[in-house]
Structure formats: C-alpha cells, structure tokens
Amino acid sequence: DAKTTQPNSMESNEEEPVHLPCNHSTISGTDYIHWYRQLPSQGPEYVIHGLTSNVNNRMASLAIAEDRKSSTLILHRATLRDAAVYYCILRNNNAGNMLTFGGGTRLMVKP
Amino acid sequence: DSGVTQTPKHLITATGQRVTLRCSPRSGDLSVYWYQQSLDQGLQFLIQYYNGEERAKGNILERFSAQQFPDLHSELNLSSLELGDSALYFCASSVEAGTGYEKLFFGSGTQLSVL
C-alpha cells in the first residue's frame, strides 16, 4: 500500500488558517486522497477527499500538487472545535480496500 | 451523528471471558468495517463485511470473529480475553464494498476494559 507521511503535531491560533501537509510520493494513478479527523473521545470523521483536482467543501479545502506526490488540507479559520488528529489516507479503487490509518497530525488550536 | 450505532458504549470484563460488540450501520449501507484503537497501536483495521460476506481481513486475532446478519447489523465476538485486548473498538459503514472515492461513517465506539 502507498504510504503517507504527516507531521506528528501542529499548532494554530484560533480564527487563523491552518495548512496540514501530507506527503505521498509513491501514490498510484488510481489512489484517492482522503482526509479524516478524530476529535477526542469520538470516532473518525470524514473531512474531504480528491483524486487530481483541488476540492472544497463546507469543512475544508484540499489542495493537491500537480504531480500528486503531496497534498495539503486547509482549514480556513481554525476553531477550538477543530482540535483533533487529522489523518491523510490513500484509498485505491479496488473493491474491499479499507482505510489504513497512520499516525496522523495532532492539531492543537490556541485561543 | 454519523448514523452508525454501536452498543454497548462501555464494557468491563475479566481475562478469559467472551464478549460481543454490536454495530448497526447507516440505513442503506451494505459494508461494515471493524477497527481497534489502542494507545500503542493506533487505529488498526480488523475485518470488513459486505452484504453478509467477509470481504477483507486485517490484523484480526484468531480469538476474534465477526459476522454480518441479513438485516446488515454486525457483531464482533472477542473470546479468551487478555489484558492487551483493552481498547476502543470502532465500527464503520459505507454504501459499497470499498471503492476509492466513497466515505466511511464511524460509530462512537465501544470502550472495552479487560481487568
């Protein structure tokens, strides 16, 4: 399975933008880039996903490098509720392919 | 609320015992996934069922088994429990068997404590 590399932790100030990086240099052409987050004492929660183009939704934006070897999750205005572990995961289009979680990035948001 | 229901929320038992964790997927979802989260191992995939059939297997111990019933709910059975089995167990569901683009929806987990 193609792997991802994320910083262990990041810190942000409330109401400022946050850019969470992810490297996936061995990504294949059929791998989708997924982001999930896990708030304290909760199950993981879907954030966003993309294949080649940048994506926006109500939670975040996903910027994908042209060579697809890296991506960045952008939270436009961090709130205290955004403090969580963020996981960048590659998911293939083969049926049965589950999410394989790495260590993720622990985001701390300061008031 | 993800729509995935897990029961019980907490379970305390003794070593050597057997427990059953239950998961009801979101309405319309055919696939169920089980994950284990411990402090030292992170989130580990255990097993996936799709429409009643086992679809994928991860790092699931032989002492653990699962099944998905005709009404699509799933149960994870853990037997001969050891202290190291203490963890959070999550269930997730999705519509299909696991295409690259679809989302997984996770329940809030069952906290298992083996004393």
Side-chain angles (χ1 to χ4, degrees):
Chain A
D1 286 343
K3 292 197 184 302
T4 63
T5 304
Q6 301 177 252
N8 288 335
S9 64
M10 289 184 65
E11 212 170 74
S12 169
N13 294 316
E14 198 177 10
E15 298 193 5
E16 288 187 358
V18 182
H19 291 235
L20 297 164
C22 181
N23 286 320
H24 28 78
S25 58
T26 59
I27 191 171
S28 77
T30 55
D31 283 334
Y32 286 79
I33 302 161
H34 285 251
W35 284 81
Y36 282 73
R37 71 179 185 181
Q38 187 173 20
L39 278 65
S41 304
Q42 293 188 29
E45 172 188 34
Y46 168 83
V47 178
I48 200 166
H49 78 276
L51 184 61
T52 56
S53 305
N54 295 343
V55 185
N56 299 297
N57 66 21
R58 63 172 182 82
M59 287 181 73
S61 295
L62 176 60
I64 301 173
E66 205 169 315
D67 63 5
R68 301 213 320 131
K69 294 186 176 182
S70 66
S71 61
T72 303
L73 178 70
I74 303 165
L75 306 180
H76 296 287
R77 286 183 71 206
T79 69
L80 297 178
R81 269 205 79 249
D82 291 321
V85 179
Y86 287 79
Y87 297 97
C88 170
I89 302 166
L90 300 183
R91 194 147 184 250
N92 201 277
N93 208 30
N94 296 324
N97 189 279
M98 72 301 298
L99 293 173
T100 301
F101 289 85
T105 297
R106 182 173 298 278
L107 175 66
M108 293 166 280
V109 181
K110 295 186 293 183
Chain B
D1 181 11
S2 67
V4 177
T5 305
Q6 288 188 249
T7 56
K9 288 195 185 309
H10 303 277
L11 201 45
I12 301 173
T13 188
T15 54
Q17 295 298 304
R18 182 178 190 274
V19 296
T20 298
L21 312 184
R22 183 188 168 103
C23 170
S24 294
R26 287 189 328 150
S27 176
D29 284 359
L30 298 177
S31 235
V32 170
Y33 309 75
W34 285 98
Y35 284 82
Q36 178 193 57
Q37 186 171 35
S38 58
L39 285 173
D40 56 344
Q41 292 287 326
L43 271 159
Q44 299 283 317
F45 168 72
L46 295 178
I47 198 164
Q48 177 199 1
Y49 278 82
Y50 174 73
N51 206 20
E53 301 287 327
E54 183 184 304
R55 199 61 182 240
K57 218 165 184 174
N59 301 321
I60 188 166
L61 300 172
E62 282 191 15
R63 301 183 285 109
F64 296 1
S65 65
Q67 57 185 129
Q68 187 179 27
F69 295 87
D71 68 353
L72 300 176
H73 92 270
S74 178
E75 291 181 356
L76 179 67
N77 300 297
L78 314 176
S79 61
S80 303
L81 284 168
E82 302 174 0
L83 295 177
D85 298 327
S86 296
L88 255 173
Y89 291 83
F90 289 106
C91 167
S93 73
S94 66
V95 174
E96 298 181 31
T99 56
Y101 51 82
E102 64 172 335
K103 313 170 192 177
L104 265 62
F105 295 86
F106 284 79
S108 54
T110 293
Q111 177 68 61
L112 174 66
S113 299
V114 182
L115 306 178

